[in-house]
């Protein structure tokens, strides 16, 4: 969000985001047709995804209320059991009048449990109900709006004041209300900003309560999830660890598991969680792919051994450099790195008898940025740890963190008492510095970028800004720049610095680092790193840009 800054990481880990300071919120989202042990055990709010860019934000807000939720495509509705306490219908890029628009069967939910339609969801409920009519009109709303009226007698609108700012994003509008409904909210441009069915817990709103710009959006979601659905809000990191450990033991049994550690938060938390479940059955491999940060391999390998993990280091730098020779396309780099990772894992697996599983630290953003189905977001980029394994490996995949966002992984790590210095590390891309070197990758370019990156990160730590930044790194640009050093003309490389603030990596804003700090970093890089004579700072946000350049 524009100019939004996260609190310091140490404080972020310590305090709860909720009104209960003694509890840390933790969510789980299940986005797979596979049966999930957790789903059968926990009271659940079901979110049907119609393709909105905000669907994942709905899930995040629900989970901040300590309520377990699942996202499912609208055309893959799971079996509705007693654990389902309510249903939320997401927005959509479609109009209800489009021939290919999502058209789920609402009779599965209507009058059986609380139902909340958001934007498209509200329009669709009106469109398929007797008397309801949705039209394209001049009264379209995009962006900020304010409630002209808010019905305090409606349970969904409790404690939502008149004038409350809401976020709109719709071209259609509800022209006629369905029979048996009443208006619960209006704006200056749209009469039906919210409505409710009489005699049932079914509600529709044309604004998005899940985005930060809707100032009372969390109150509305709490009204629905807690008051209307009756969820108790007991979903915490402690309960996740307990239930996941039990599920992993049942899933893996006495089999052996191999896990490729990356040095990052995700694979570290996955390793400790698996270790808690199966102990020495877990064999960890930490690969030096030659694309890590300076000295990272030795430092991280030492810390893993101190954590009691069964870990072995593998020096595979040259294999990766050879595989990347001459490759400039970002996707081709990712695929080459993924292939070599698979080969390294396969070699390592053959050194451990009877390995049946490959564990991975895949998290939810990896999945939704890699897999496009009808409904959720389009593919942005591939990830080397998403999408299965080649047949020759004959290993099954276990991904204990597949459903979680990054901040949730950190909360689980804190519950597992992992060293805060590991949990507080910035995210680092799986392909490493290969996708921060624009163009072809060479060992010399890696060495140069490692030096630049180390200076950048060290200065962030020394200044105290590291904990305010979600992710930071340096990018080696495929251009050279004219400069003057002493009395000599230089023609050397340019690097870009990137630092962003974010909650989960789905959206990000560029970090407003102090100018004096940026000047100091730039001066140090140019003076100390031979071959670099120009430093620029990236001030683009996500969207439209991504955090990484490739």
């Amino acid at each position: 969000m524009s100019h939004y800054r996260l609190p310091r990481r140490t404080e972020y880990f310590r305090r709860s985001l909720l009104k209960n300071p003694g509890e840390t919120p933790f969510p789980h989202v299940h986005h797979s047709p596979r049966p999930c042990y957790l789903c059968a055990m926990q009271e659940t709010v079901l979110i049907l995804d119609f393709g909105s860019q905000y669907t994942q934000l709905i899930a995040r807000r629900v989970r901040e209320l300590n309520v377990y939720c699942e996202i499912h495509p609208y055309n893959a509705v799971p079996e509705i059991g007693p654990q389902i306490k309510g249903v939320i219908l997401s927005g959509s890029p479609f109009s209800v009048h489009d021939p290919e628009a999502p058209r789920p069967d609402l009779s599965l939910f209507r009058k059986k449990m609380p139902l909340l339609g958001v934007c498209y969801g509200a329009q669709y409920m009106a469109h398929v109900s007797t008397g309801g009519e949705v039209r394209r009109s001049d009264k379209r709303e995009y962006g900020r709006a304010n409630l002209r009226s808010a019905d305090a007698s409606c349970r969904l609108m409790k404690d939502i004041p008149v004038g409350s700012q809401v976020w709109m994003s719709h071209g259609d509008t509800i022209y006629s209300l369905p029979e048996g409904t009443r208006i619960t909210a209006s704006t200056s441009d749209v009469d039906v900003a919210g409505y409710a069915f009489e005699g049932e817990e079914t509600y529709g709103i044309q604004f998005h309560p899940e985005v930060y710009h809707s100032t009372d959006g969390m109150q509305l979601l709490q009204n629905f999830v807690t008051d209307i659905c009756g969820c108790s809000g007991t979903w915490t990191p402690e309960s996740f660890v307990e239930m996941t450990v039990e599920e992993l033991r049942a899933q893996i049994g006495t089999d052996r598991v191999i896990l490729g550690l990356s040095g990052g938060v995700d694979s570290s938390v996955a390793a400790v969680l698996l270790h808690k479940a199966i102990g020495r059955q877990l064999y960890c491999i930490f690969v030096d792919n030659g694309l890590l940060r300076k000295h990272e391999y030795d430092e991280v390998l030492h810390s893993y051994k101190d954590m009691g993990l069964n870990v072995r280091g593998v020096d595979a730098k040259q294999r990766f450099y050879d595989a990347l020779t001459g490759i400039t396309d970002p996707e081709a780099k990712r695929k080459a790195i993924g292939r070599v990772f698979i080969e390294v894992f396969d070699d390592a697996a053959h050194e451990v008898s009877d390995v049946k599983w490959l564990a991975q630290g895949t998290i939810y953003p990896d999945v939704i940025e890699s897999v496009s189905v009808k409904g959720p977001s389009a593919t942005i980029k591939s990830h080397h740890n998403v999408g299965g394994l080649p047949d020759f490996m004959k290993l099954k995949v276990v991904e204990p963190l597949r459903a979680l966002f990054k901040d949730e992984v950190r909360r689980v790590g804190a519950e597992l008492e992992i060293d805060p210095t590991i949990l507080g590390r910035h995210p680092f891309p799986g392909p490493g510095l290969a996708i921060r070197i624009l163009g072809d990758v060479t060992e010399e370019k890696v060495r140069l970028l490692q030096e630049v990156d180390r200076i950048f990160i060290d200065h962030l730590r020394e200044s105290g800004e590291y904990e305010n930044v979600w992710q930071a790194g340096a990018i080696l640009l495929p251009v050279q720049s004219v400069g003057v050093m002493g009395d000599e003309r230089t023609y050397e490389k340019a690097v870009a610095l990137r630092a962003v603030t974010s909650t989960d990596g789905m959206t990000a804003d560029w970090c407003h680092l102090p100018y004096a700090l940026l000047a100091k970093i730039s001066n140090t890089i140019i003076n100390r790193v031979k071959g670099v004579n120009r430093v620029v700072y990236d001030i683009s946000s996500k969207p439209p840009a991504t955090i990484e350049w490739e």
Side-chain angles (χ1 to χ4, degrees), residues 383-424:
H383 291 258
H384 69 269
N385 59 340
V386 177
L389 298 172
D391 291 339
F392 71 81
M393 287 199 70
K394 307 300 181 185
L395 294 178
K396 294 177 284 187
V397 175
V398 57
E399 298 171 316
L401 308 178
R402 184 181 177 88
L404 311 183
F405 289 100
K406 180 74 73 172
D407 57 326
E408 301 162 356
V409 174
R410 287 194 171 100
R411 291 174 186 147
V412 169
E415 176 65 28
L416 292 167
E417 300 183 343
I418 295 175
D419 188 335
T421 59
I422 294 177
L423 296 181

Short mmCIF file of all heavy atoms in Angstrom, two decimals, residues 383-424:
data_model
loop_
_atom_site.label_atom_id
_atom_site.label_comp_id
_atom_site.label_asym_id
_atom_site.label_seq_id
_atom_site.Cartn_x
_atom_site.Cartn_y
_atom_site.Cartn_z
N HIS A 383 8.26 -21.27 -10.32
CA HIS A 383 9.13 -21.48 -9.17
C HIS A 383 9.69 -22.89 -9.26
O HIS A 383 8.97 -23.84 -9.55
CB HIS A 383 8.35 -21.30 -7.86
CG HIS A 383 7.95 -19.88 -7.61
ND1 HIS A 383 8.62 -19.06 -6.75
CD2 HIS A 383 6.96 -19.14 -8.15
CE1 HIS A 383 8.04 -17.87 -6.74
NE2 HIS A 383 7.03 -17.89 -7.58
N HIS A 384 10.98 -23.04 -8.96
CA HIS A 384 11.61 -24.35 -9.16
C HIS A 384 11.09 -25.39 -8.18
O HIS A 384 11.25 -26.58 -8.40
CB HIS A 384 13.13 -24.22 -9.02
CG HIS A 384 13.59 -23.93 -7.62
ND1 HIS A 384 13.77 -22.66 -7.15
CD2 HIS A 384 13.90 -24.76 -6.59
CE1 HIS A 384 14.18 -22.71 -5.89
NE2 HIS A 384 14.26 -23.96 -5.54
N ASN A 385 10.41 -24.98 -7.11
CA ASN A 385 9.92 -25.96 -6.14
C ASN A 385 8.41 -26.13 -6.24
O ASN A 385 7.76 -26.55 -5.30
CB ASN A 385 10.30 -25.54 -4.71
CG ASN A 385 9.74 -24.19 -4.33
OD1 ASN A 385 9.39 -23.41 -5.19
ND2 ASN A 385 9.67 -23.92 -3.05
N VAL A 386 7.81 -25.76 -7.37
CA VAL A 386 6.38 -25.93 -7.55
C VAL A 386 6.15 -26.70 -8.85
O VAL A 386 6.77 -26.41 -9.85
CB VAL A 386 5.66 -24.56 -7.65
CG1 VAL A 386 4.18 -24.76 -7.93
CG2 VAL A 386 5.86 -23.79 -6.36
N GLY A 387 5.26 -27.66 -8.80
CA GLY A 387 4.86 -28.30 -10.04
C GLY A 387 5.24 -29.75 -10.16
O GLY A 387 5.06 -30.34 -11.21
N GLY A 388 5.75 -30.37 -9.12
CA GLY A 388 5.99 -31.79 -9.17
C GLY A 388 7.40 -32.16 -9.52
O GLY A 388 8.27 -31.33 -9.72
N LEU A 389 7.66 -33.46 -9.62
CA LEU A 389 9.00 -34.00 -9.84
C LEU A 389 9.02 -34.85 -11.10
O LEU A 389 8.00 -35.40 -11.50
CB LEU A 389 9.41 -34.87 -8.65
CG LEU A 389 9.50 -34.17 -7.30
CD1 LEU A 389 9.72 -35.20 -6.21
CD2 LEU A 389 10.63 -33.16 -7.30
N PRO A 390 10.19 -34.98 -11.72
CA PRO A 390 10.28 -35.90 -12.86
C PRO A 390 10.07 -37.34 -12.42
O PRO A 390 10.37 -37.70 -11.28
CB PRO A 390 11.70 -35.67 -13.37
CG PRO A 390 12.45 -35.08 -12.22
CD PRO A 390 11.45 -34.29 -11.45
N ASP A 391 9.58 -38.15 -13.34
CA ASP A 391 9.23 -39.53 -13.00
C ASP A 391 10.42 -40.33 -12.46
O ASP A 391 10.26 -41.22 -11.63
CB ASP A 391 8.65 -40.24 -14.23
CG ASP A 391 7.28 -39.68 -14.61
OD1 ASP A 391 6.64 -39.07 -13.73
OD2 ASP A 391 6.89 -39.85 -15.77
N PHE A 392 11.64 -40.02 -12.94
CA PHE A 392 12.77 -40.87 -12.57
C PHE A 392 13.10 -40.79 -11.08
O PHE A 392 13.78 -41.67 -10.55
CB PHE A 392 14.01 -40.54 -13.42
CG PHE A 392 14.65 -39.21 -13.11
CD1 PHE A 392 15.52 -39.06 -12.02
CD2 PHE A 392 14.41 -38.11 -13.91
CE1 PHE A 392 16.12 -37.84 -11.75
CE2 PHE A 392 15.01 -36.88 -13.65
CZ PHE A 392 15.86 -36.75 -12.55
N MET A 393 12.63 -39.74 -10.40
CA MET A 393 12.99 -39.61 -8.99
C MET A 393 12.21 -40.57 -8.11
O MET A 393 12.69 -40.98 -7.06
CB MET A 393 12.80 -38.18 -8.51
CG MET A 393 13.86 -37.23 -9.04
SD MET A 393 13.96 -35.71 -8.08
CE MET A 393 14.66 -36.32 -6.54
N LYS A 394 10.99 -40.90 -8.51
CA LYS A 394 10.17 -41.86 -7.76
C LYS A 394 9.99 -41.43 -6.31
O LYS A 394 9.95 -42.27 -5.40
CB LYS A 394 10.80 -43.26 -7.81
CG LYS A 394 11.11 -43.78 -9.20
CD LYS A 394 9.86 -43.88 -10.08
CE LYS A 394 10.18 -44.43 -11.45
NZ LYS A 394 9.01 -44.42 -12.36
N LEU A 395 9.91 -40.14 -6.06
CA LEU A 395 9.70 -39.64 -4.70
C LEU A 395 8.36 -38.93 -4.61
O LEU A 395 7.92 -38.25 -5.55
CB LEU A 395 10.80 -38.64 -4.30
CG LEU A 395 12.21 -39.19 -4.16
CD1 LEU A 395 13.17 -38.06 -3.82
CD2 LEU A 395 12.28 -40.27 -3.10
N LYS A 396 7.72 -39.08 -3.48
CA LYS A 396 6.50 -38.32 -3.20
C LYS A 396 6.89 -37.00 -2.56
O LYS A 396 7.93 -36.89 -1.93
CB LYS A 396 5.59 -39.12 -2.28
CG LYS A 396 5.06 -40.41 -2.91
CD LYS A 396 4.21 -41.21 -1.95
CE LYS A 396 5.05 -41.95 -0.93
NZ LYS A 396 4.25 -42.87 -0.08
N VAL A 397 6.05 -35.98 -2.74
CA VAL A 397 6.36 -34.64 -2.26
C VAL A 397 5.54 -34.34 -1.01
O VAL A 397 4.34 -34.61 -0.95
CB VAL A 397 6.06 -33.58 -3.34
CG1 VAL A 397 6.25 -32.17 -2.78
CG2 VAL A 397 6.95 -33.79 -4.55
N VAL A 398 6.20 -33.79 0.00
CA VAL A 398 5.50 -33.31 1.20
C VAL A 398 5.85 -31.83 1.36
O VAL A 398 7.01 -31.45 1.33
CB VAL A 398 5.88 -34.13 2.45
CG1 VAL A 398 7.37 -34.12 2.72
CG2 VAL A 398 5.10 -33.64 3.67
N GLU A 399 4.83 -31.00 1.52
CA GLU A 399 4.99 -29.55 1.59
C GLU A 399 4.20 -29.01 2.78
O GLU A 399 3.07 -28.55 2.63
CB GLU A 399 4.52 -28.90 0.29
CG GLU A 399 5.30 -29.35 -0.94
CD GLU A 399 4.68 -28.88 -2.23
OE1 GLU A 399 3.44 -28.99 -2.37
OE2 GLU A 399 5.41 -28.40 -3.11
N PRO A 400 4.77 -29.05 3.97
CA PRO A 400 4.00 -28.69 5.17
C PRO A 400 3.60 -27.23 5.24
O PRO A 400 2.71 -26.88 6.01
CB PRO A 400 4.95 -29.06 6.31
CG PRO A 400 6.31 -29.08 5.72
CD PRO A 400 6.12 -29.52 4.30
N LEU A 401 4.23 -26.37 4.43
CA LEU A 401 3.94 -24.93 4.50
C LEU A 401 3.23 -24.43 3.24
O LEU A 401 3.06 -23.22 3.07
CB LEU A 401 5.23 -24.14 4.68
CG LEU A 401 6.14 -24.56 5.84
CD1 LEU A 401 7.39 -23.70 5.86
CD2 LEU A 401 5.41 -24.47 7.17
N ARG A 402 2.80 -25.32 2.40
CA ARG A 402 2.25 -24.95 1.08
C ARG A 402 1.10 -23.96 1.17
O ARG A 402 0.86 -23.17 0.24
CB ARG A 402 1.78 -26.22 0.36
CG ARG A 402 1.28 -25.98 -1.05
CD ARG A 402 0.81 -27.29 -1.69
NE ARG A 402 0.26 -27.08 -3.02
CZ ARG A 402 0.98 -27.08 -4.13
NH1 ARG A 402 2.28 -27.28 -4.07
NH2 ARG A 402 0.41 -26.90 -5.30
N ALA A 403 0.36 -23.96 2.25
CA ALA A 403 -0.84 -23.13 2.36
C ALA A 403 -0.60 -21.79 3.03
O ALA A 403 -1.54 -21.03 3.22
CB ALA A 403 -1.91 -23.90 3.14
N LEU A 404 0.64 -21.47 3.39
CA LEU A 404 0.88 -20.34 4.27
C LEU A 404 1.57 -19.17 3.56
O LEU A 404 2.39 -19.36 2.68
CB LEU A 404 1.77 -20.77 5.45
CG LEU A 404 1.34 -22.02 6.19
CD1 LEU A 404 2.29 -22.25 7.35
CD2 LEU A 404 -0.09 -21.92 6.66
N PHE A 405 1.24 -17.96 4.02
CA PHE A 405 1.96 -16.77 3.61
C PHE A 405 3.23 -16.64 4.46
O PHE A 405 3.37 -17.24 5.51
CB PHE A 405 1.10 -15.53 3.78
CG PHE A 405 -0.02 -15.44 2.78
CD1 PHE A 405 -1.32 -15.81 3.11
CD2 PHE A 405 0.21 -14.96 1.50
CE1 PHE A 405 -2.35 -15.73 2.20
CE2 PHE A 405 -0.82 -14.86 0.58
CZ PHE A 405 -2.11 -15.25 0.92
N LYS A 406 4.13 -15.77 3.99
CA LYS A 406 5.44 -15.66 4.63
C LYS A 406 5.35 -15.25 6.10
O LYS A 406 6.04 -15.82 6.95
CB LYS A 406 6.30 -14.63 3.88
CG LYS A 406 7.68 -14.42 4.45
CD LYS A 406 8.63 -15.58 4.16
CE LYS A 406 9.03 -15.57 2.70
NZ LYS A 406 10.09 -16.57 2.41
N ASP A 407 4.51 -14.29 6.43
CA ASP A 407 4.45 -13.85 7.82
C ASP A 407 3.90 -14.95 8.72
O ASP A 407 4.26 -15.06 9.89
CB ASP A 407 3.63 -12.57 7.97
CG ASP A 407 2.22 -12.68 7.45
OD1 ASP A 407 2.01 -13.41 6.46
OD2 ASP A 407 1.32 -12.05 8.02
N GLU A 408 3.04 -15.79 8.16
CA GLU A 408 2.50 -16.91 8.92
C GLU A 408 3.57 -17.97 9.19
O GLU A 408 3.62 -18.57 10.25
CB GLU A 408 1.32 -17.52 8.15
CG GLU A 408 0.22 -16.51 7.90
CD GLU A 408 -0.72 -16.94 6.80
OE1 GLU A 408 -0.49 -17.98 6.15
OE2 GLU A 408 -1.69 -16.23 6.58
N VAL A 409 4.44 -18.17 8.18
CA VAL A 409 5.55 -19.10 8.36
C VAL A 409 6.43 -18.63 9.52
O VAL A 409 6.88 -19.43 10.35
CB VAL A 409 6.37 -19.23 7.07
CG1 VAL A 409 7.61 -20.09 7.29
CG2 VAL A 409 5.52 -19.82 5.95
N ARG A 410 6.68 -17.33 9.58
CA ARG A 410 7.50 -16.80 10.67
C ARG A 410 6.84 -17.03 12.03
O ARG A 410 7.52 -17.30 13.02
CB ARG A 410 7.76 -15.31 10.45
CG ARG A 410 8.74 -15.02 9.32
CD ARG A 410 9.21 -13.57 9.38
NE ARG A 410 10.31 -13.36 8.44
CZ ARG A 410 10.17 -12.81 7.24
NH1 ARG A 410 8.98 -12.42 6.83
NH2 ARG A 410 11.22 -12.64 6.46
N ARG A 411 5.53 -16.89 12.09
CA ARG A 411 4.85 -17.11 13.37
C ARG A 411 4.95 -18.56 13.81
O ARG A 411 5.13 -18.85 15.01
CB ARG A 411 3.39 -16.68 13.26
CG ARG A 411 3.22 -15.18 13.10
CD ARG A 411 1.78 -14.81 12.83
NE ARG A 411 1.68 -13.38 12.55
CZ ARG A 411 0.80 -12.84 11.72
NH1 ARG A 411 -0.04 -13.62 11.08
NH2 ARG A 411 0.76 -11.55 11.53
N VAL A 412 4.86 -19.47 12.86
CA VAL A 412 5.05 -20.89 13.19
C VAL A 412 6.49 -21.11 13.65
O VAL A 412 6.75 -21.84 14.61
CB VAL A 412 4.71 -21.78 11.98
CG1 VAL A 412 5.16 -23.21 12.21
CG2 VAL A 412 3.22 -21.75 11.71
N GLY A 413 7.44 -20.49 12.96
CA GLY A 413 8.84 -20.61 13.37
C GLY A 413 9.08 -20.12 14.78
O GLY A 413 9.84 -20.72 15.54
N ALA A 414 8.42 -19.01 15.15
CA ALA A 414 8.55 -18.51 16.52
C ALA A 414 7.96 -19.50 17.51
O ALA A 414 8.52 -19.71 18.60
CB ALA A 414 7.85 -17.16 16.64
N GLU A 415 6.85 -20.13 17.15
CA GLU A 415 6.26 -21.15 18.01
C GLU A 415 7.22 -22.33 18.18
O GLU A 415 7.27 -22.96 19.25
CB GLU A 415 4.93 -21.62 17.43
CG GLU A 415 4.24 -22.74 18.18
CD GLU A 415 3.81 -22.33 19.58
OE1 GLU A 415 3.54 -21.13 19.81
OE2 GLU A 415 3.74 -23.21 20.46
N LEU A 416 7.99 -22.64 17.14
CA LEU A 416 8.95 -23.74 17.18
C LEU A 416 10.28 -23.31 17.82
O LEU A 416 11.22 -24.10 17.88
CB LEU A 416 9.22 -24.26 15.77
CG LEU A 416 8.04 -24.97 15.08
CD1 LEU A 416 8.32 -25.14 13.59
CD2 LEU A 416 7.76 -26.30 15.73
N GLU A 417 10.34 -22.06 18.27
CA GLU A 417 11.50 -21.50 18.96
C GLU A 417 12.76 -21.49 18.08
O GLU A 417 13.87 -21.71 18.55
CB GLU A 417 11.77 -22.24 20.28
CG GLU A 417 10.59 -22.15 21.25
CD GLU A 417 10.87 -22.83 22.58
OE1 GLU A 417 11.81 -23.64 22.65
OE2 GLU A 417 10.15 -22.54 23.54
N ILE A 418 12.56 -21.22 16.81
CA ILE A 418 13.69 -21.05 15.90
C ILE A 418 14.34 -19.70 16.18
O ILE A 418 13.68 -18.72 16.50
CB ILE A 418 13.21 -21.14 14.44
CG1 ILE A 418 12.69 -22.56 14.16
CG2 ILE A 418 14.33 -20.82 13.46
CD1 ILE A 418 12.08 -22.73 12.78
N ASP A 419 15.66 -19.65 16.05
CA ASP A 419 16.43 -18.44 16.30
C ASP A 419 15.82 -17.25 15.54
O ASP A 419 15.63 -17.31 14.33
CB ASP A 419 17.87 -18.66 15.84
CG ASP A 419 18.80 -17.52 16.24
OD1 ASP A 419 18.33 -16.39 16.43
OD2 ASP A 419 20.01 -17.77 16.33
N PRO A 420 15.53 -16.14 16.25
CA PRO A 420 14.94 -14.96 15.59
C PRO A 420 15.79 -14.41 14.45
O PRO A 420 15.26 -13.79 13.53
CB PRO A 420 14.82 -13.94 16.73
CG PRO A 420 14.73 -14.77 17.97
CD PRO A 420 15.60 -15.96 17.72
N THR A 421 17.11 -14.62 14.51
CA THR A 421 17.94 -14.12 13.41
C THR A 421 17.66 -14.87 12.11
O THR A 421 17.83 -14.31 11.02
CB THR A 421 19.44 -14.25 13.75
OG1 THR A 421 19.76 -15.63 13.99
CG2 THR A 421 19.79 -13.44 14.98
N ILE A 422 17.22 -16.12 12.21
CA ILE A 422 16.83 -16.88 11.02
C ILE A 422 15.44 -16.45 10.57
O ILE A 422 15.20 -16.20 9.38
CB ILE A 422 16.86 -18.39 11.30
CG1 ILE A 422 18.31 -18.85 11.54
CG2 ILE A 422 16.24 -19.18 10.13
CD1 ILE A 422 18.45 -20.31 11.89
N LEU A 423 14.51 -16.32 11.52
CA LEU A 423 13.15 -15.93 11.17
C LEU A 423 13.08 -14.52 10.63
O LEU A 423 12.21 -14.19 9.82
CB LEU A 423 12.24 -16.05 12.40
CG LEU A 423 12.05 -17.44 12.98
CD1 LEU A 423 11.11 -17.38 14.18
CD2 LEU A 423 11.51 -18.40 11.93
N GLY A 424 13.99 -13.67 11.07
CA GLY A 424 13.97 -12.28 10.64
C GLY A 424 14.68 -12.02 9.33
O GLY A 424 14.72 -10.87 8.86
#
